[in-house]
């Protein structure tokens, strides 16, 4: 049996199929109106019928998440390195970001829309804010997890601080960094959708808001499935790169 279809995959498929069947027949037998809770068959039918607008809006949200994530990595990794190596930064910058993380992002969303408008920038910033902190924390944890015996080995070889950083600390931190990226990606999707809820003319969040406002529950669920699939796609897109981190198990 191939690695793509093994026992675990079969169990997962069977589990979700059972959930879908329970939902389908539970709704039909209980007589719940479709405008309150449509059955999965109706949602999948709507997903197919509305595939073009859903796909176009998914691409809008994907663009927002992608660039927000790229900026979060580009800023988060150097800041984490600064905090790790500088006691001053650890006493000043780190508490600042912890405090900022405690601020509810949903409360900031209306202000960000006011400051940056209804276009791409405000949604990109929301995706960035949701993804930024997990990357900092994961990178810090990875840098701090460098094996002590390898540090001693590099010192014995008289490696320069820069050589130790690039050849020891960076590889040691990569597994934790990728774990942080796997957390940050779905959070970035949530951030973009929240931004679209607050103020946008495009994106899956806007589609959900429009569909629910018009009482089109089936389309609302179809758009929610699209958000879920987008999050899964990005999550496993990051997880794909773990296969190249062969030293993770060591």
């Amino acid at each position: 049996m191939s690695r793509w279809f093994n026992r675990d995959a079969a169990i997962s498929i069977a589990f979700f199929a059972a959930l879908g069947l329970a939902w389908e027949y539970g709704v039909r037998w209980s007589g719940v109106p479709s405008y309150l809770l449509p059955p999965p068959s109706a949602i999948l039918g709507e997903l197919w019928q509305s595939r073009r607008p859903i796909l176009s809006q998914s691409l809008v949200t994907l663009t927002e998440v992608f660039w927000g994530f790229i900026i979060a990595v580009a800023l988060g990794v150097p800041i984490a390195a600064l905090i790790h190596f500088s006691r001053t930064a650890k006493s000043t910058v780190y508490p600042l970001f912890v405090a900022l993380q405690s601020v509810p992002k949903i409360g900031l969303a209306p202000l960000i829309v006011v400051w940056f408008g209804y276009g791409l920038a405000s949604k990109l910033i929301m995706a960035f804010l949701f993804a930024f902190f997990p990357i900092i924390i994961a990178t810090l944890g990875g840098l701090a997890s460098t094996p002590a015996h390898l540090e001693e080995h590099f010192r014995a070889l008289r490696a320069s601080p820069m050589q130790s950083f690039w050849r020891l600390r960076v590889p040691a931190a990569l597994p934790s960094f990728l774990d942080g990226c796997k957390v940050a990606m779905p959070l970035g999707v949530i951030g973009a959708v929240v931004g679209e809820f607050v103020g946008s003319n495009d994106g899956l969040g806007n589609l959900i808001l429009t569909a629910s406002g018009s009482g089109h529950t089936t389309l609302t669920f179809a758009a929610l499935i699209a958000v879920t699939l987008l999050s899964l796609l990005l999550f496993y897109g990051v997880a794909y790169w773990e296969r190249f981190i062969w030293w993770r198990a060591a």
Side-chain angles (χ1 to χ4, degrees):
M1 188 174 292
S2 70
R3 60 177 178 174
W4 296 107
F5 187 79
N6 51 30
R7 181 174 178 273
D8 293 336
I11 292 175
S12 297
I13 292 172
F15 173 73
F16 286 105
L19 284 181
L21 289 173
W23 180 356
E24 178 78 25
Y25 290 102
V27 169
R28 294 182 183 276
W29 291 341
S30 64
V32 176
S34 60
Y35 65 85
L36 290 180
L37 184 62
S41 58
I43 297 172
L44 293 177
E46 182 65 41
L47 193 62
W48 174 252
Q49 289 182 350
S50 304
R51 61 189 182 278
R52 290 185 178 179
I54 289 176
L55 179 59
S56 64
Q57 301 307 320
S58 297
L59 291 176
V60 172
T61 303
L62 175 61
T63 301
E64 297 162 355
V65 175
F66 176 78
W67 288 112
F69 175 79
I70 291 297
I71 296 173
V73 171
L75 294 179
V77 172
I79 290 174
L82 176 65
I83 293 172
H84 177 77
F85 289 108
S86 171
R87 290 186 177 181
T88 302
K90 189 175 295 185
S91 302
T92 56
V93 177
Y94 186 59
L96 173 63
F97 284 115
V98 172
L100 291 176
Q101 177 64 16
S102 65
V103 177
K105 310 298 185 302
I106 296 176
L108 288 176
L111 290 174
I112 291 174
V113 171
V114 169
W115 292 336
F116 297 96
Y118 281 73
L120 173 66
S122 59
K123 266 61 75 181
L124 185 152
I125 291 172
M126 286 299 299
F128 161 78
L129 289 176
F130 273 73
F132 183 57
F133 195 69
I135 290 174
I136 289 182
I137 294 300
T139 305
L140 276 174
L143 291 172
S145 65
T146 305
H149 69 281
L150 291 180
E151 291 182 0
E152 294 177 0
H153 181 67
F154 268 66
R155 283 196 294 267
L157 293 175
R158 297 182 180 180
S160 67
M162 191 60 65
Q163 289 175 324
S164 297
F165 176 75
W166 286 110
R167 298 186 180 183
L168 176 61
R169 293 189 181 277
V170 169
L174 275 178
S176 296
F177 168 73
L178 284 178
D179 288 339
C181 289
K182 289 194 294 184
V183 174
M185 268 299 192
L187 289 177
V189 175
I190 294 172
V193 170
V194 168
E196 292 166 352
F197 279 159
V198 175
S200 178
N201 297 319
D202 298 294
L204 289 173
N206 177 262
L207 182 61
I208 293 171
L209 203 62
T210 303
S212 60
S214 61
H216 200 338
T217 310
T218 308
L219 180 57
T220 303
F221 273 91
L224 287 171
I225 289 177
V227 172
T228 303
L229 292 176
L230 179 61
S231 297
L232 289 173
L233 174 66
L234 293 172
F235 176 88
Y236 286 108
V238 174
Y240 169 81
W241 295 98
E242 287 183 321
R243 66 181 60 194
F244 301 106
I245 310 299
W246 53 265
W247 59 90
R248 169 187 283 270

